[in-house]
C-alpha cells in the first residue's frame, strides 16, 4: 500500500541525500522520538514507527530505487506484466498509469517510443529482473539495528560502569543455519496467510496478485519447522555494555553485531543503547559542567570569606570576595565532568544565595540597627525610575 507520508519528508532529507545523510538523520530523530525516552507519548511513538518505516526503505538501495520511481515499496514485490517477467502474470492493459509514468520520466525512465504498458513493465523489471519476486526475497540482507534505552544513576554516568542488560533479538536459526529449509515439512505461507494471493495498491487501484513466495499454493514445502522458513528465531540473551566515563543523558552507544541477524546469510545489524541519567538531588549537570547552589551568610558575603563546597571529587575551597551579591556565580576550573573524547574536564559553577540571620536576641537587633544607620542608602531607589 502506498505510504501515507513522504519518506524523505519524514526523515527531513532531500531526495538527493546520500546514505550517510539518511542514516544520520534517522539516528538523530530516533533518539528524539524513541518510545523509551517519551513514555506515554502516543504521538512520539507513532512518529518513531514512521521513522523506522522510512529508514527501512531509504537505507536499502533497491527499495529506494523502486520508491523513487513508483512512490511505494512492497515486501511482496510488484510483478511485471504478462509472461515477459517470468513471475505471476497480470494484464495491465486498459489501465491509466500516467501518474506513475510521469514520475518515472522525471527519474530518467526510458524513451517516449515505448507504449505505456511496456514502460510500466520496464520500471518493475529493474527490481525483478525477469525472474519474479520469489527469488529476490531469497537474497542476503543485512539484519536491522536494535534500539534500547538504559537508565543509569548520576555517579555511574560520571565515573563509567559496566552494565548487563537482556535483549530480545532475531538470531540465526540453529536448526537450518539460516537457510529456512529442511526435511519436508509443509506450513502455511507467512506472506499470504495461506490464501495464495496478496493485495497490492497502486494509486487508487487495488490488485490481487499471485503470492510471489508460495506461487499461489498457499503453503511452503521443505521449510524449517523451527523457524517456519524465516531462517531466524527470536531469542533473549544478556549483553555486557561498557558505559564510558562522562556519558550524557541521551548519549547513544553502539554495540556492533548485536542487532538482528541477517537474512539468508546477511550480516547482523548493530545494537544502539540510549542512556538516561537519573538526576542527583544536589549536583546539576549541564554538558560537561556541574552546577551547585550554596548558601552564604551576610557577613561572609560582605567581608569576603573562604568557604568549603562539595564537588564530584570531594570537598574544595572557594574564595568569596567582599561585597558578593545574592545570585552571583563563581567558576571552579576543571572541577566538572571528564570528557573522554576530548580528554578535557568541564568546570563547576557555584551560585551563592545570601541567608539572612535569625534574630533571637536584643544584641543582634542592636548590631543590625547600627548597620542600617551606617548604610542608609535605599537599594530600591532606582526601581521607581524603571516603573
Amino acid at each position: 500500500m502506498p505510504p501515507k507520508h513522504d519518506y524523505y519528508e519524514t526523515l527531513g532529507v532531500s531526495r538527493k541525500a546520500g546514505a550517510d545523510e539518511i542514516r544520520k538523520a534517522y539516528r538523530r530523530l530516533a533518539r528524539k522520538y524513541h518510545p523509551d525516552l517519551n513514555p506515554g507519548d502516543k504521538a512520539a511513538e507513532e512518529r518513531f514507527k514512521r521513522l523506522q518505516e522510512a529508514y527501512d526503505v531509504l537505507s536499502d538501495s533497491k527499495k529506494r530505487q523502486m520508491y523513487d520511481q513508483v512512490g511505494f515499496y512492497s515486501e511482496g514485490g510488484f510483478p511485471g506484466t504478462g509472461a515477459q517477467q517470468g513471475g505471476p502474470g497480470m494484464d495491465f492493459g486498459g489501465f491509466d498509469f500516467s501518474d506513475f509514468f510521469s514520475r518515472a520520466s522525471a527519474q530518467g525512465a526510458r524513451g517516449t517510443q515505448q507504449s505505456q504498458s511496456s514502460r510500466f513493465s520496464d520500471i518493475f523489471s529493474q527490481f525483478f529482473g525477469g525472474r519474479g519476486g520469489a527469488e529476490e526475497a531469497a537474497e542476503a540482507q543485512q539484519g536491522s539495528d536494535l534500539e534500547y534505552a538504559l537508565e543509569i544513576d548520576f555517579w555511574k554516568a560520571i565515573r563509567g560502569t559496566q552494565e548487563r542488560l537482556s535483549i530480545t533479538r532475531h538470531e540465526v536459526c540453529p536448526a537450518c543455519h539460516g537457510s529456512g529449509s529442511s526435511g519436508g515439512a509443509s506450513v502455511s505461507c507467512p506472506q499470504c496467510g495461506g490464501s495464495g494471493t496478496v493485495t497490492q495498491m497502486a494509486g487508487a487501484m487495488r490488485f490481487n496478485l499471485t503470492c510471489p513466495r508460495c506461487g499461489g499454493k498457499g503453503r511452503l514445502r521443505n521449510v524449517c519447522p523451527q523457524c517456519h522458513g524465516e531462517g531466524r528465531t527470536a531469542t533473549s540473551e544478556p549483553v555486557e555494555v561498557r558505559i564510558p566515563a562522562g556519558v550524557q543523558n541521551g548519549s547513544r552507544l553502539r554495540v556492533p553485531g548485536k542487532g538482528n541477524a541477517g537474512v539468508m546469510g546477511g550480516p547482523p545489524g548493530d545494537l544502539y543503547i540510549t542512556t538516561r541519567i537519573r538526576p542527583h538531588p544536589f549536583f546539576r549537570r549541564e554538558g560537561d559542567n556541574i552546577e551547585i547552589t550554596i548558601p552564604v551568610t551576610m557577613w561572609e558575603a560582605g567581608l569576603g570569606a573562604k568557604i568549603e563546597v562539595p564537588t564530584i571529587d570531594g570537598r574544595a575551597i572557594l574564595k568569596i570576595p567582599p561585597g558578593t551579591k545574592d545570585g552571583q556565580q563563581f567558576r571552579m576550573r576543571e572541577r566538572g565532568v571528564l570528557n573522554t573524547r576530548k580528554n578535557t574536564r568541564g568546570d563547576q559553577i557555584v551560585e551563592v544565595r545570601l541567608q539572612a540571620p535569625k534574630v533571637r536576641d536584643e544584641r543582634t537587633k542592636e548590631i543590625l540597627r547600627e548597620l542600617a544607620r551606617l548604610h542608609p542608602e535605599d537599594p530600591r531607589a532606582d526601581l521607581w525610575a524603571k516603573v
Side-chain angles (χ1 to χ4, degrees):
M1 182 173 292
K4 297 179 181 179
H5 307 275
D6 184 279
Y7 290 156
Y8 291 99
E9 291 183 2
T10 298
L11 294 179
V13 297
S14 69
R15 291 185 173 271
K16 296 181 181 180
D20 287 343
E21 184 179 350
I22 290 174
R23 181 169 57 255
K24 290 177 182 178
Y26 166 71
R27 290 178 177 176
R28 174 175 53 81
L29 294 172
R31 285 197 299 269
K32 181 178 180 181
Y33 293 103
H34 197 285
D36 289 338
L37 299 179
N38 299 273
D41 190 338
K42 295 297 183 182
E45 181 179 353
E46 184 61 30
R47 180 69 184 273
F48 183 73
K49 290 179 180 179
R50 295 205 304 267
L51 289 170
Q52 287 184 310
E53 178 184 346
Y55 182 68
D56 179 65
V57 172
L58 298 186
S59 62
D60 185 287
S61 59
K62 184 166 290 187
K63 293 179 182 180
R64 181 180 180 183
Q65 185 182 8
M66 183 175 184
Y67 175 77
D68 286 344
Q69 290 190 329
V70 299
F72 67 88
Y73 175 79
S74 171
E75 289 292 342
F78 202 116
T81 63
Q84 293 178 346
Q85 300 302 316
M90 185 165 188
D91 181 13
F92 292 98
F95 291 100
D96 181 12
F97 293 105
S98 58
D99 179 59
F100 287 101
F101 301 144
S102 60
R103 189 191 306 239
S105 176
Q107 300 294 331
R110 299 184 180 180
T112 57
Q113 299 291 327
Q114 298 171 294
S115 66
Q116 287 186 343
S117 179
S118 64
R119 289 169 65 190
F120 186 82
S121 173
D122 288 334
I123 291 172
F124 291 100
S125 67
Q126 296 178 37
F127 306 100
F128 304 106
R131 297 176 297 168
E135 290 189 23
E136 287 297 318
E139 288 187 356
Q141 298 178 9
Q142 182 175 0
S144 58
D145 296 336
L146 292 178
E147 296 272 354
Y148 272 76
L150 177 64
E151 187 175 71
I152 57 178
D153 68 30
F154 177 84
W155 291 113
K156 286 183 177 180
I158 295 292
R159 297 164 181 163
T161 185
Q162 190 87 6
E163 291 287 326
R164 174 186 286 258
L165 66 156
S166 179
I167 65 169
T168 300
R169 59 188 293 265
H170 285 111
E171 186 55 272
V172 174
C173 176
C176 66
H177 306 289
S179 67
S181 62
S182 65
S186 175
V187 297
S188 176
C189 175
Q191 186 161 335
C192 65
S195 67
T197 60
V198 292
T199 300
Q200 176 69 64
M201 294 295 295
M205 296 176 292
R206 181 189 299 271
F207 300 97
N208 288 323
L209 308 176
T210 301
C211 177
R213 184 163 186 178
C214 65
K217 296 179 181 179
R219 299 190 69 80
L220 297 175
R221 293 182 179 179
N222 301 322
V223 298
C224 174
Q226 186 165 336
C227 66
H228 305 290
E230 291 295 328
R232 305 181 302 176
T233 56
T235 181
S236 295
E237 66 173 272
V239 175
E240 293 284 344
V241 181
R242 188 183 70 84
I243 308 297
V247 69
Q248 298 188 25
N249 193 51
S251 292
R252 199 161 180 256
L253 309 175
R254 173 174 172 262
V255 184
K258 286 300 182 180
N260 286 323
V263 178
M264 300 306 294
D270 298 329
L271 170 65
Y272 288 91
I273 306 296
T274 302
T275 56
R276 297 177 62 184
I277 313 301
R278 290 193 290 270
H280 191 273
F282 180 73
F283 294 108
R284 302 183 304 275
R285 183 174 174 182
E286 287 294 331
D288 294 331
N289 291 340
I290 295 293
E291 298 179 353
I292 64 172
T293 301
I294 293 293
V296 296
T297 63
M298 292 177 60
W299 46 91
E300 287 176 329
L303 300 174
K306 291 181 179 180
I307 62 174
E308 197 173 52
V309 297
T311 72
I312 60 174
D313 298 317
R315 300 184 180 189
I317 298 298
L318 175 66
K319 185 177 180 180
I320 301 295
T324 294
K325 299 178 180 179
D326 182 59
Q328 191 168 340
Q329 293 184 339
F330 300 92
R331 183 179 297 270
M332 302 179 73
R333 300 287 181 184
E334 298 187 350
R335 291 285 188 172
V337 182
L338 173 65
N339 188 317
T340 54
R341 289 191 299 178
K342 299 178 181 178
N343 198 28
T344 58
R345 288 194 65 166
D347 302 327
Q348 176 161 299
I349 311 299
V350 181
E351 181 178 348
V352 298
R353 288 295 179 186
L354 283 141
Q355 194 170 55
K358 295 180 180 179
V359 181
R360 296 189 178 95
D361 55 81
E362 287 298 322
R363 176 61 178 159
T364 302
K365 291 181 182 179
E366 181 182 343
I367 293 174
L368 291 176
R369 291 191 190 102
E370 179 65 20
L371 183 63
R373 286 193 293 270
L374 292 173
H375 297 276
E377 60 269 12
D378 184 0
R380 296 171 295 280
D382 296 337
L383 185 64
W384 304 110
K386 300 176 183 179
V387 177

